[in-house]
Amino acid sequence: MNDEKVSLMSKVTDKVFFPSKKFLELKFALPTIVSIALVIRLLPMRFKYLLGYDPYFHLAYIRYALSHGWVNFFPYALGPWGIQIKLFHPLGLWMTPAYVYKLLHFLGLSLYNAFRVTPVIFGVLTVVFTYLAVLRLYGKKEAFLSAFLLAVSFGHVFRSMAGYYRGDNYMLFWYSVALLGITLGLTWKPKRWEYERFAFYLIPGVATGLSAFFWQAYYPIFAFVLANAFLLSLGVFVLKRDEKIVEGVIIALSTVLGVLIANSIGEKFGFGMVGYNRWLGKKIAEEFGFNFGFIKDAFLYLYLKYAVSLAVVTILILVILARFSKNRKTRYVITGVLVLATLVVASHHYGQLNNLIKEIFVNAPIVETQRTGLSDLCQAYGLAFLAVPLFGISFRKKRASDYLILGLALVALPMLLIWTRFLFIGSLTIALMAGIGLVEVYELLAPKLKARKFGVIALAVLLIFVPATTAYTGFKNTLSVRPFVNDNWVKALEYLGNHSNINDVVLTWWDEGHWVTYFAERAPVAQGSPSKFVADYYLGKVSEKRLMSLGIDYIIVSLDAVEKFGAILRTAGETGYAMVVLWPVSTPGILTFTAPGYTVMATPGESWDVRVRIGNVLGVPVKVFVEKETKVQEVPLKERPTLDAYVYINLNYGYAILMNGKAFETPLAKLMFTNNYSKNYQLLYSDGGIVKIFRFLHPNVIVTSQNGSVVLRFTNSTGTAIGVYGYLDNGTLVYRKWFNVKGKSEFTLPKNLNGSVVVRYVYVQKGTVLDRGVFRIEDVLKS
């Protein structure tokens, strides 16, 4: 191939990868990226329901707050205690969708849809600010490609798409604002005063502080900005641009403003997860030996006392050393020593922090806290994560901006490799490093390969294939997400809400707890995090006396819980149980169900012929139960049992369950698969095999209103006393009194109760708790 043709191919490659200089202009590039980001994030709007579990709790509280004001004490969660919102997320998490609704409802936007599009708004804004930051730091090509990768990366999309509302979306948004502020400070050309650009360094301070308004775990933004500051100063020290070393000090000190803002926000709207009023905050204070004073958040205290101080002192040392060490090699040695010293100091406290993390998550076998694997990286970023090392090529140009991005990477990359939860937080880092790295490869190799046919093709494949796979993976994975909740669950929970009392408490697997809060408006005993109590109950390790002690009135069993039987065992710390869901395969004349390593074959008749295969062993089960419509019955078998196996066949939804004897004897199996359960359970609702709800019959308290008073009615008179605890909305106990109710069928609550707005009650028979619960007085009087 002659040089003319090769040159033409090179130009074509350039046009494909970067279509035209005009296209890369802000007025064309940014709308294109925003459009792509919007389209992919709005794909879940086609669904009727929200995605995941947590968003249902968020929306339930927002809905409640819009009719009650931004109250703190929310009674339809964590029964029978209720939940104090100030001890969960800061109010900004809840207020933002509400104000999006208030702002746009005149256009016909419902609260439900306002809630669904709020994550999209902030996700797209993150892409926009990232584009603007990279545009000023690097150029049009880097800005376009980095923002494009972030726009289409499933790692970022999955927590910023419609219907999946999570707090870390806000934290990353505010970091993109902080990054733009730092960028403006570095690149602004003074017009009047030489140091006017320093005003832009207030932006990262304000951004870090405001992030505390939206999410209880906002803390990584402080680490990101401080790492930006430290690595920036270290970079310009190495590059011998000594006049800019002190700018790292200014950026680091700006986060002190962030600490003050975050501390102030915590006082008014709720502290983060290590605030002075949280268990974890108290634990950290004890571990590190300090008392809360003006700063009432453990992270902010330690950050201010150690991290900022150490960073500022180290940078000032660099300023001094820069005056005496003019040799670049000497500066390399100094840099190495400082990095090593920083690692030593950080590792000094690593053991303490690691112990705390283990305490929090050792009993939480959830997907988000699993170690990130290669498949997770591929799913989140396509092949973009493989392009991250290419960022190293950028250092050949000796730019301070590379060290700025490196600071972010040194914090974010280890995070995303530790837990899958952090794949979202790390998505911006991956997009920046991959985008900049790919452009660097292009600019480095394109001139050298113009005369080489296969070199040009290889470069084109590399530069087009990586963004294309990221886009394909992002769209494919976004299209594949589905809501977990379905019509069966919604009908069941709405039925429960309409056929239960305002103070009733519900037991279900913790994943489904938020659905109970939203659809039934009842308080689940577990939600949001794994519950050993619920796991133990499903396995038969909980007595009915313990159920009464938590005021549990309804039990939900479901196919969803059966499919999570492995998680139930891990949460309970038990082994020896086996329960497998099998799905149908087409076999003429025989009902056949399979799962890897298991098969159930059944021929109906007056006596059923049933065979079970477990591995290579074939035999007859001990018992077989069949459900059709809403009737469950044990069917007679033709042959005597030869295996410790029990089978349930659902003809309504076409699945089978295979269990061993130990699993069959559990409450989960008895309630879900048989008609042989305790007389203290009464079936309230069944859809024939997806969700079943049982009323737990026990001496129950029914809270109602009569003639403007709150009345507690007892389903029988076995109780001897009732304890009444009254709380202000801020959680302060202001009333506590026990009343003798022996032989009484009802009790009228005294009025006022020292101004109480929320009441917890305990109904007892001598020393035994028969029932307990929580309610908001206003809700009862309105019902």
Side-chain angles (χ1 to χ4, degrees):
M1 184 178 287
N2 59 40
D3 290 347
E4 229 175 87
K5 289 182 179 179
V6 173
S7 180
L8 177 62
M9 183 177 290
S10 180
K11 290 179 181 178
V12 170
T13 302
D14 190 74
K15 290 292 184 183
V16 171
F17 190 54
F18 298 111
S20 70
K21 289 183 179 179
K22 187 176 180 180
F23 181 78
L24 289 173
E25 293 296 329
L26 178 67
K27 63 181 180 180
F28 293 106
L30 190 55
T32 300
I33 291 169
V34 167
S35 299
I36 293 170
L38 276 172
V39 167
I40 190 171
R41 283 163 180 76
L42 288 173
L43 288 175
M45 286 293 285
R46 70 190 191 277
F47 297 125
K48 181 165 57 170
Y49 299 121
L50 302 176
L51 302 171
Y53 304 99
D54 290 19
Y56 280 100
F57 179 83
H58 302 321
L59 184 53
Y61 174 69
I62 292 168
R63 182 180 62 189
Y64 189 80
L66 286 176
S67 62
H68 291 71
W70 294 104
V71 297
N72 169 57
F73 218 130
F74 184 46
Y76 303 113
L78 294 180
W81 318 109
I83 186 173
Q84 292 188 52
I85 296 299
K86 71 177 184 181
L87 299 178
F88 194 16
H89 290 285
L91 273 181
L93 183 76
W94 332 92
M95 293 175 117
T96 308
Y99 280 97
V100 169
Y101 163 67
K102 288 184 175 183
L103 185 66
L104 300 176
H105 78 279
F106 74 94
L107 297 175
L109 187 70
S110 65
L111 173 63
Y112 188 71
N113 283 331
F115 181 80
R116 290 207 287 173
V117 301
T118 298
V120 177
I121 293 170
F122 286 89
V124 172
L125 285 175
T126 303
V127 174
V128 170
F129 285 121
T130 298
Y131 172 86
L132 295 175
V134 180
L135 181 65
R136 292 193 70 96
L137 280 176
Y138 289 91
K140 297 173 184 177
K141 294 178 180 178
E142 292 90 344
F144 180 84
L145 192 52
S146 296
F148 174 81
L149 290 173
L150 186 62
V152 300
S153 166
F154 187 65
H156 187 263
V157 171
F158 87 117
R159 288 181 106 86
S160 63
M161 60 186 172
Y164 194 53
Y165 186 76
R166 302 305 295 265
D168 39 7
N169 191 19
Y170 292 112
M171 192 277 288
L172 207 59
F173 159 74
W174 282 112
Y175 176 71
S176 70
V177 174
L179 182 62
L180 179 60
I182 295 172
T183 298
L184 290 169
L186 286 173
T187 60
W188 189 264
K189 295 181 179 178
K191 296 178 181 178
R192 295 183 180 179
W193 182 46
E194 184 180 354
Y195 297 107
E196 66 184 43
R197 63 188 179 83
F198 284 3
F200 288 110
Y201 290 141
L202 291 173
I203 295 176
V206 172
T208 52
L210 289 181
S211 66
F213 183 57
F214 297 92
W215 188 38
Q216 66 168 336
Y218 65 91
Y219 307 114
I221 189 174
F222 281 91
F224 292 165
V225 174
L226 191 64
N228 287 149
F230 182 69
L231 265 293
L232 173 66
S233 290
L234 201 61
V236 293
F237 173 77
V238 171
L239 297 174
K240 299 182 69 175
R241 297 176 189 170
D242 298 346
E243 72 283 356
K244 285 189 176 291
I245 297 177
V246 76
E247 298 198 21
V249 173
I250 299 170
I251 297 169
L253 290 177
S254 78
T255 64
V256 175
L257 172 63
V259 168
L260 298 177
I261 293 172
N263 192 60
S264 176
I265 285 172
E267 291 277 12
K268 296 179 177 64
F269 299 101
F271 283 96
M273 65 191 301
V274 294
Y276 79 101
N277 53 354
R278 304 287 193 93
W279 168 83
L280 186 54
K282 295 173 184 177
K283 184 72 176 176
I284 291 176
E286 179 185 334
E287 195 79 21
F288 284 85
F290 67 87
N291 296 314
F292 291 104
F294 172 69
I295 302 297
K296 294 183 178 179
D297 182 286
F299 173 86
L300 297 179
Y301 176 89
L302 295 173
Y303 176 82
L304 204 58
K305 184 174 182 179
Y306 296 109
V308 174
S309 303
L310 181 62
V312 169
V313 168
T314 305
I315 295 171
L316 290 177
I317 290 173
L318 288 177
V319 173
I320 296 170
L321 290 175
R323 293 177 173 272
F324 303 101
S325 56
K326 301 299 182 181
N327 185 282
R328 183 161 290 171
K329 289 183 179 179
T330 304
R331 294 195 176 198
Y332 286 147
V333 173
I334 292 172
T335 300
V337 170
L338 286 174
V339 170
L340 183 62
T342 302
L343 291 175
V344 169
V345 172
S347 65
H348 177 68
H349 295 297
Y350 174 78
Q352 292 169 295
L353 292 173
N354 192 47
N355 289 337
L356 285 171
I357 289 171
K358 285 181 178 178
E359 279 189 47
I360 301 167
F361 296 106
V362 69
N363 292 320
I366 59 177
V367 173
E368 290 187 348
T369 57
Q370 302 302 306
R371 184 61 60 87
T372 304
L374 183 61
S375 61
D376 299 311
L377 294 170
C378 290
Q379 187 177 29
Y381 311 124
L383 294 182
F385 77 93
L386 293 177
V388 167
L390 300 177
F391 177 75
I393 301 173
S394 184
F395 286 89
R396 68 192 173 90
K397 293 184 177 179
K398 296 180 173 57
R399 293 178 294 200
S401 56
D402 292 331
Y403 291 90
L404 187 73
I405 303 302
L406 183 62
L408 170 64
L410 290 179
V411 178
L413 291 182
M415 286 179 65
L416 72 86
L417 292 174
I418 291 172
W419 282 349
T420 55
R421 171 65 189 261
F422 298 140
L423 287 169
F424 171 81
I425 292 175
S427 60
L428 193 149
T429 310
I430 297 293
L432 289 175
M433 299 182 79
I436 295 165
L438 286 170
V439 174
E440 287 301 315
V441 170
Y442 171 80
E443 292 183 348
L444 179 66
L445 299 181
K448 300 177 181 179
L449 296 176
K450 282 185 178 180
R452 299 180 182 179
K453 171 184 174 182
F454 294 107
V456 172
I457 294 173
L459 182 62
V461 168
L462 172 67
L463 298 181
I464 296 170
F465 190 63
V466 171
T469 59
T470 302
Y472 171 76
T473 302
F475 275 94
K476 176 177 172 289
N477 289 334
T478 307
L479 280 170
S480 69
V481 297
R482 293 286 185 276
F484 295 132
V485 77
N486 52 45
D487 290 343
N488 294 78
W489 271 99
V490 174
K491 289 177 183 176
L493 294 177
E494 288 179 346
Y495 187 91
L496 173 62
N498 293 328
H499 294 81
S500 59
N501 306 304
I502 196 171
N503 59 306
D504 283 340
V505 176
V506 181
L507 183 149
T508 188
W509 186 235
W510 69 273
D511 278 339
E512 305 141 11
H514 291 326
W515 297 347
V516 174
T517 295
Y518 180 77
F519 291 108
E521 293 188 299
R522 296 294 177 261
V525 76
Q527 59 192 125
S529 61
S531 167
K532 190 175 187 303
F533 173 81
V534 175
D536 284 344
Y537 169 78
Y538 279 147
L539 297 178
K541 305 293 183 182
V542 171
S543 68
E544 292 185 348
K545 184 179 286 189
R546 284 188 67 195
L547 288 183
M548 290 192 297
S549 72
L550 287 179
I552 292 168
D553 303 292
Y554 293 92
I555 307 291
I556 297 178
V557 291
S558 65
L559 180 60
D560 182 62
V562 173
E563 290 177 317
K564 295 170 180 172
F565 193 68
I568 291 173
L569 293 178
R570 290 193 297 274
T571 304
E574 295 286 346
T575 58
Y577 300 81
M579 185 179 293
V580 182
V581 182
L582 300 90
W583 296 100
V585 294
S586 180
T587 307
I590 302 176
L591 295 173
T592 305
F593 305 87
T594 66
Y598 304 96
T599 302
V600 169
M601 296 169 288
T603 304
E606 288 188 14
S607 294
W608 284 53
D609 184 11
V610 181
R611 295 285 189 278
V612 171
R613 181 182 62 81
I614 303 174
N616 295 321
V617 179
L618 188 67
V620 178
V622 178
K623 290 185 179 182
V624 175
F625 290 82
V626 176
E627 182 161 9
K628 186 176 182 181
E629 295 176 349
T630 57
K631 185 178 180 182
V632 181
Q633 63 178 9
E634 182 180 354
V635 298
L637 299 177
K638 278 188 175 183
E639 298 186 25
R640 298 179 66 179
T642 60
L643 286 177
D644 176 29
Y646 294 77
V647 174
Y648 162 82
I649 297 174
N650 189 289
L651 299 178
N652 297 316
Y653 299 99
Y655 69 87
I657 306 294
L658 179 60
M659 301 160 276
N660 65 2
K662 197 172 181 181
F664 177 73
E665 294 300 327
T666 64
L668 176 61
K670 292 291 186 182
L671 294 172
M672 187 69 187
F673 308 133
T674 80
N675 51 10
N676 180 25
Y677 42 79
S678 168
K679 64 181 180 180
N680 290 329
Y681 294 95
Q682 181 183 81
L683 183 64
L684 175 75
Y685 177 91
S686 173
D687 58 14
I690 302 296
V691 183
K692 297 181 182 182
I693 304 175
F694 291 83
R695 181 184 287 114
F696 173 51
L697 302 177
H698 66 107
N700 190 26
V701 177
I702 299 172
V703 179
T704 186
S705 63
Q706 183 177 315
N707 300 324
S709 296
V710 176
V711 179
L712 309 182
R713 292 199 171 97
F714 313 125
T715 56
N716 59 45
S717 303
T718 57
T720 56
I722 189 163
V724 177
Y725 300 79
Y727 296 84
L728 300 180
D729 187 59
N730 65 8
T732 302
L733 177 65
V734 292
Y735 184 89
R736 177 181 178 179
K737 192 171 182 180
W738 281 84
F739 298 91
N740 184 353
V741 294
K742 185 176 181 180
K744 294 183 179 181
S745 61
E746 65 178 44
F747 170 76
T748 300
L749 202 67
K751 293 193 175 181
N752 188 25
L753 302 179
N754 295 336
S756 301
V757 296
V758 173
V759 170
R760 289 175 180 164
Y761 63 85
V762 185
Y763 184 49
V764 302
Q765 183 187 56
K766 296 182 179 178
T768 301
V769 175
L770 303 178
D771 193 26
R772 73 168 79 229
V774 63
F775 59 88
R776 197 173 187 88
I777 296 174
E778 176 187 3
D779 292 346
V780 177
L781 295 177
K782 283 182 178 179
S783 62

